Amino acid sequence: MDWFSRKSIERVSRMIRTLRSNDLTLRIPEENLRGAERELAEEINDLISDVRKKLIKQERRSGQYEALVNTIDAALIVADDEGEIYFMNQKAVQGLCGFRINNLSSLDTLHKGLAQTLLTLAPGQSKLVTINKDGTETQLKISMVRYGVDGHDSLLFSIENVNQFMLQNEIEAQRKLVSVLTHEIMNSLSPIISLSETLYDSISTADEETKIALNVIKQRSTGLLSFVENYRKLARLAPPKYNWTKIGELFEDLRKLYPASYIQYEIEDKDLEVKVDRQQIMQVLINIVKNAVEACSANPMVKVGAKVDYPSRKFIISVVDNGTGISAEAKERIFIPFYTTKPKGSGIGLSLSRQIVIMHGGSLYLDSTEDAGSKFIISLPCTYKK
């Protein structure tokens, strides 16, 4: 074998090793080569360059697909029949365990038997599973599709939070009903109030009983009108207007409204900026802190906390009080419009607060047991910057 052949074989071997290791930085110098040897070097360099371009294009396309999958509002998991996980989108990472897992069996820490439920699903079958997450019951809709690649089967699981969807539909239905009812009621009440005032002024002072009756009609109609006007607030709530807000400044404004020494503010990273509707979130905080203060015992204690959970990209706000807590019956109804446990309460604050939080794409839930105080937790999707 002559020198040229040995050098050519060596270069081809290097090219093969390079392609196998995906090290596409190799380039054979062509400057000092002549004839067939130079042509072979050029061919090898062109081949490596073509492979490099195709790989870059493939990686770019793969990145686009992954970004697209991460925008889907459902947890997606790809696994094999043994439960080994190949892929999880961001929704699965954030919405389930809060971190990436290697096997479906890890989901049993979230809900016992969830992994087995997933693996026993038939292709195309859907199932509802209720889990207890963050102190509240959450209903998940799970489904599975089986597909094959290179002769190997993979399982694509879709896991959706049904609670959020149901809440959004419920709130939208409430808003439509409120809009229709308040319009009709106010159209009827306004002339009744006007007519009672006119009659009251026109009758003689001798007819005292009639004047008293007309005055009662006016007062009750005016009270009902005020009640309906509160109802309209739920239907008129504007979409959030997002702006960058420093966490420290947001809670400093709240502290000015509630400066009592028994209210403790525990705010992490006050200089961090989050993107929220500042006015709407402030209204939510005022409603919840006001409730906490009013619920406190003889030795009041309220803790207000705020932090960013970076792995799940959530802005978490908590308000804890040492009050008497909320009964199981009241806990089920606490967010229903006009339900209140206070003698002079309107029942609007918490319902309005939950609606604001949901419009931000977040959740507001209560962790409370009777005689053990209450804890309200606000969880908001977090866009932040230093």
Side-chain angles (χ1 to χ4, degrees), residues 24 53 66 79 84 92 122 139 158 167 181 185 196 207 216 222 234 280 319 331 346 353 370 377:
L24 301 179
K53 289 177 181 177
E66 185 169 347
E84 183 181 351
Q139 201 168 37
S158 173
L167 279 175
L181 289 179
I185 292 172
S196 64
D207 196 356
V216 170
T222 303
L234 294 175
Q280 288 189 358
V319 179
K331 188 177 177 182
S346 66
S353 297
E370 209 162 0
I377 300 174

Side-chain angles (χ1 to χ4, degrees), residues 32-71:
N32 299 321
L33 301 180
R34 297 289 183 272
E37 191 176 12
R38 184 184 180 94
E39 290 177 5
L40 177 61
E42 289 174 349
E43 286 291 336
I44 292 174
N45 288 337
D46 287 346
L47 176 59
I48 292 175
S49 177
D50 288 344
V51 172
R52 185 190 301 120
K53 289 177 181 177
K54 288 178 181 178
L55 187 60
I56 292 172
K57 185 177 181 180
Q58 186 179 21
E59 288 177 349
R60 187 183 297 121
R61 185 173 297 169
S62 177
Q64 291 171 344
Y65 290 153
E66 185 169 347
L68 180 63
V69 168
N70 284 331
T71 63

Side-chain angles (χ1 to χ4, degrees), residues 6 28 67 89 109 125 182 202 244 247 267 302 318 359 369:
R6 287 197 303 272
I28 298 174
N89 69 345
T109 59
Q125 180 187 9
T182 54
S202 64
W244 289 109
I247 293 178
I267 315 302
V302 175
S318 61
M359 289 176 68
T369 54

Side-chain angles (χ1 to χ4, degrees), residues 255-290:
R255 190 195 297 269
K256 291 174 184 175
L257 294 172
Y258 294 96
S261 59
Y262 64 84
I263 303 178
Q264 301 174 22
Y265 293 87
E266 300 173 353
I267 315 302
E268 292 185 8
D269 202 348
K270 295 180 180 180
D271 292 328
L272 187 71
E273 292 183 74
V274 293
K275 205 168 189 179
V276 295
D277 186 316
R278 181 168 179 162
Q279 298 303 320
Q280 288 189 358
I281 296 302
M282 177 58 73
Q283 186 60 55
V284 171
L285 292 174
I286 289 171
N287 289 341
I288 295 177
V289 172
K290 178 175 178 289

Side-chain angles (χ1 to χ4, degrees), residues 104-378:
L104 292 176
S105 59
S106 298
L107 293 176
D108 285 349
T109 59
L110 182 68
H111 178 74
K112 187 173 177 60
L114 182 56
Q116 188 61 25
T117 301
L118 289 171
L119 289 171
T120 55
L121 275 177
Q125 180 187 9
S126 295
K127 193 170 184 178
L128 290 177
V129 177
T130 301
I131 67 172
N132 191 293
K133 189 172 187 292
D134 299 324
T136 188
E137 285 193 346
T138 301
Q139 201 168 37
L140 302 177
K141 177 188 174 185
I142 59 176
S143 56
M144 184 269 285
V145 174
R146 182 183 290 270
Y147 66 95
V149 178
D150 295 331
H152 298 283
D153 278 359
S154 293
L155 312 177
L156 171 61
F157 296 101
S158 173
I159 306 174
E160 299 176 79
N161 186 333
V162 180
N163 285 35
Q164 198 75 357
F165 177 75
M166 291 174 66
L167 279 175
Q168 289 171 345
N169 281 351
E170 177 187 331
I171 286 175
E172 186 58 31
Q174 286 177 356
R175 293 182 68 177
K176 288 179 181 178
L177 179 61
V178 166
S179 180
V180 173
L181 289 179
T182 54
H183 180 267
E184 295 301 321
I185 292 172
M186 294 189 77
N187 281 351
S188 299
L189 283 176
S190 296
I192 290 173
I193 294 172
S194 177
L195 185 59
S196 64
E197 290 175 340
T198 302
L199 289 173
Y200 183 89
D201 293 335
S202 64
I203 63 175
S204 64
T205 55
D207 196 356
E208 196 62 32
E209 288 187 3
T210 304
K211 295 194 76 170
I212 292 173
L214 288 171
N215 196 39
V216 170
I217 291 173
K218 176 188 173 183
Q219 288 178 355
R220 296 306 302 151
S221 298
T222 303
L224 185 56
L225 195 65
S226 175
F227 179 84
V228 172
E229 186 58 39
N230 276 336
Y231 223 135
R232 294 180 76 178
K233 291 178 183 177
L234 294 175
R236 288 178 171 176
L237 186 61
K241 294 181 180 179
Y242 294 97
N243 47 68
W244 289 109
T245 302
K246 275 193 175 182
I247 293 178
E249 292 177 359
L250 179 69
F251 284 91
E252 187 56 38
D253 288 348
L254 185 65
R255 190 195 297 269
K256 291 174 184 175
L257 294 172
Y258 294 96
S261 59
Y262 64 84
I263 303 178
Q264 301 174 22
Y265 293 87
E266 300 173 353
I267 315 302
E268 292 185 8
D269 202 348
K270 295 180 180 180
D271 292 328
L272 187 71
E273 292 183 74
V274 293
K275 205 168 189 179
V276 295
D277 186 316
R278 181 168 179 162
Q279 298 303 320
Q280 288 189 358
I281 296 302
M282 177 58 73
Q283 186 60 55
V284 171
L285 292 174
I286 289 171
N287 289 341
I288 295 177
V289 172
K290 178 175 178 289
N291 283 349
V293 169
E294 292 174 352
C296 280
S297 59
N299 299 306
M301 185 279 293
V302 175
K303 289 185 179 180
V304 180
K307 65 178 183 179
V308 173
D309 182 25
Y310 291 98
S312 64
R313 298 184 70 87
K314 297 286 186 183
F315 181 30
I316 309 294
I317 303 169
S318 61
V319 179
V320 183
D321 66 62
N322 67 339
T324 57
I326 298 174
S327 67
E329 179 186 0
K331 188 177 177 182
E332 291 292 321
R333 305 179 183 178
I334 200 74
F335 294 109
I336 296 175
F338 298 102
Y339 176 81
T340 180
T341 58
K342 304 174 188 175
K344 295 184 179 180
S346 66
I348 285 289
L350 286 178
S351 178
L352 193 64
S353 297
R354 187 181 70 166
Q355 189 169 328
I356 289 172
V357 171
I358 288 175
M359 289 176 68
H360 275 73
S363 61
L364 167 61
Y365 53 91
L366 167 65
D367 182 9
S368 176
T369 54
E370 209 162 0
D371 301 323
S374 299
K375 180 178 182 180
F376 283 91
I377 300 174
I378 303 165

Side-chain angles (χ1 to χ4, degrees), residues 1-18:
M1 183 179 293
D2 59 23
W3 177 86
F4 174 73
S5 297
R6 287 197 303 272
K7 295 295 290 183
S8 299
I9 291 172
E10 182 184 335
R11 289 192 178 100
V12 171
S13 297
R14 287 176 61 195
M15 179 194 71
I16 292 172
R17 289 195 299 272
T18 296

